[in-house]
Amino acid sequence: MGIFIGRDREARRAYGFDEIALVPGSLTINPAEVDITTKIGNVTLKIPFIASAMDGVVDVNFAIAMGKMGGVGVLNLDGVQTRYEDPSEILSQIQNADPEKATELVQKMYREPIKEKLIAKRVEQIKKGGVHPAVSCIPQNAEKFGPIAQEAGASFFFVQATVITVNHQATMYKTVDLHKFCKKTMKINVVLGNTVQYDAALELMDTGCAGILVGVGPGAACTSRGVLGIGVPQVTSTVDCAAAREFYFKQTGRHVPIITDGGMSTGGDICKAFAAGADAVMVGSAFARAQEAPGGGFHWGMATPHHNLPRGTRVRVGTTGSLEEILNGPARYDDGTQNLVGALRTCMGSVGAANIRNLQLTELVIAPEIKNEGKLFQKAQKIGMGK
């Protein structure tokens, strides 16, 4: 049920991370003893963190570092890593561009054609690092790039669009048959995204995919919500898609993981995503701050280089520490942007969740003032939660 926003027009209230809080229970657990592993397809991750397929976040070296820490870094096959043999100079130019010229420069740099030989090369480089290679591309390139990545040894293939559906209508180009792609073309784990809607998530799960990405427009560098006016706040979208996951499991006995993608800048946001129903989280800006990130403290959305209608921008996030510090600490900042794994473990211990499945059952409360309550001095001094 929704509320009327005008005559005969009803809208449903939706919630984001800043509007809810988790309720501690009657049990607490030693954070060191909780289980934070998660499984996507046939791969078990030691930590439920996935680095976004953005050129300012993941390159070969970052993907290897992320994999060795127990997560996954997804390489963007539509970006500079497959357009340029050595993209370092291109990345440097993007970093140094004036803010008002950054999007135009990115568009120019991405006009260079994608070289299919570099797709296999990047996958092989990551695999040689001893981790699970994961790559991503838009639906229009999936049927061409998927087999190349698979043959080169990829473990995961992400198919990502601003909004993805099984039922895509078009007469000007050939559409991708996601059922055929997931069940016949690909023998490795395919993750589909992005969606925010219950019915769409159910249909995507029926393709045989290994996971669903949830989130339209919440990312720090994404402008889809401003350009297109679309999106659903991440707590509500995660809850809705998690409900689809539970229904699908009852129907088929197959658990399709929900991966909340975007909008999480602190450990608290990440903990709330899991409590809303996520099995894993895909994070961009938090990892773009790592010393290992190729963006050098800058971060831009996957749709920034679109030649006609950019739906992303370049943002400066700064470089705040190593990937080790951001994931495992010790944190040198007091704002929740470092030691994300420690934050998740401590939260789970505080609410009595022995594993992620238990965390998904945590009681939630609507609390739009939870971040302001008692924080007058922090806000006045612009420290901690007042930054």
Side-chain angles (χ1 to χ4, degrees), residues 4 9 68 79 123 129 142 167 241 342 344 371:
F4 284 98
R9 189 65 165 171
K68 289 185 174 179
V123 172
N167 302 304
C241 292
L344 177 60
K371 293 180 72 173

Side-chain angles (χ1 to χ4, degrees), residues 364-384:
L364 305 176
V365 292
I366 299 169
E369 287 301 310
I370 194 73
K371 293 180 72 173
N372 298 321
E373 187 177 32
K375 303 299 184 290
L376 177 62
F377 289 113
Q378 292 184 34
K379 289 190 172 296
Q381 298 171 40
K382 296 184 179 178
I383 58 174

Side-chain angles (χ1 to χ4, degrees), residues 4-247:
F4 284 98
I5 59 173
R7 188 177 182 89
D8 299 326
R9 189 65 165 171
E10 199 173 8
R12 185 164 62 106
R13 178 70 164 89
Y15 296 91
F17 294 123
D18 287 347
E19 298 174 286
I20 68 155
L22 315 188
V23 180
S26 56
L27 169 71
T28 54
I29 302 174
N30 176 5
E33 297 179 44
V34 301
D35 178 10
I36 63 170
T37 62
T38 196
K39 190 173 183 181
I40 301 175
N42 60 4
V43 176
T44 297
L45 302 180
K46 293 181 180 178
I47 61 172
F49 288 83
I50 301 171
S52 297
M54 295 179 175
D55 283 351
V57 180
V58 177
D59 62 3
V60 169
N61 292 332
F62 187 98
I64 293 171
M66 187 75 185
K68 289 185 174 179
M69 291 184 194
V72 170
V74 186
L75 189 81
N76 177 19
L77 295 183
D78 298 311
V80 297
Q81 297 295 328
T82 55
R83 296 175 191 269
Y84 300 91
E85 182 74 39
D86 180 7
S88 57
E89 174 59 29
I90 302 303
L91 290 166
S92 178
Q93 290 184 45
I94 295 172
Q95 294 162 21
N96 294 319
D98 292 335
E100 60 273 13
K101 295 289 185 180
T103 296
E104 185 179 344
L105 178 63
V106 170
Q107 289 174 312
K108 177 182 176 182
M109 297 302 183
Y110 283 66
R111 290 190 192 122
E112 179 74 15
I114 294 171
K115 300 172 180 61
E116 293 183 10
K117 67 176 183 178
L118 287 178
I119 294 174
K121 181 176 180 178
R122 300 305 183 216
V123 172
E124 290 165 358
Q125 288 174 322
I126 296 170
K127 193 173 182 68
K128 285 180 182 177
V131 302
H132 290 287
V135 293
S136 169
C137 76
I138 58 175
Q140 293 93 316
N141 291 332
E143 291 179 311
K144 183 189 297 184
F145 294 173
I148 298 172
Q150 179 172 263
E151 186 175 347
S155 298
F156 295 97
F157 194 86
F158 287 66
V159 182
Q160 290 185 259
T162 301
V163 178
I164 195 168
T165 59
V166 171
N167 302 304
H168 179 63
Q169 297 182 3
T171 57
M172 297 179 67
Y173 53 85
K174 181 179 178 291
T175 60
V176 181
D177 183 337
L178 292 176
H179 286 88
K180 179 181 177 183
F181 184 76
C182 294
K183 293 178 180 177
K184 295 182 179 180
T185 304
M186 303 298 287
K187 307 302 180 186
I188 61 175
N189 302 303
V190 177
V191 178
L192 302 177
N194 284 37
T195 189
V196 291
Q197 205 256 351
Y198 178 91
D199 291 335
L202 270 180
E203 292 177 345
L204 289 170
M205 290 173 193
D206 200 43
T207 64
C209 66
I212 302 289
L213 293 170
V214 175
V216 172
C222 184
T223 60
S224 292
R225 292 179 176 178
V227 176
L228 305 179
I230 62 174
V232 175
Q234 284 292 66
V235 169
T236 294
S237 59
T238 301
V239 169
D240 287 351
C241 292
R245 176 195 62 208
E246 298 305 310
F247 182 75

Side-chain angles (χ1 to χ4, degrees), residues 272-287:
K272 292 175 184 180
F274 284 109
D279 297 287
V281 292
M282 176 175 268
V283 178
S285 59
F287 294 138

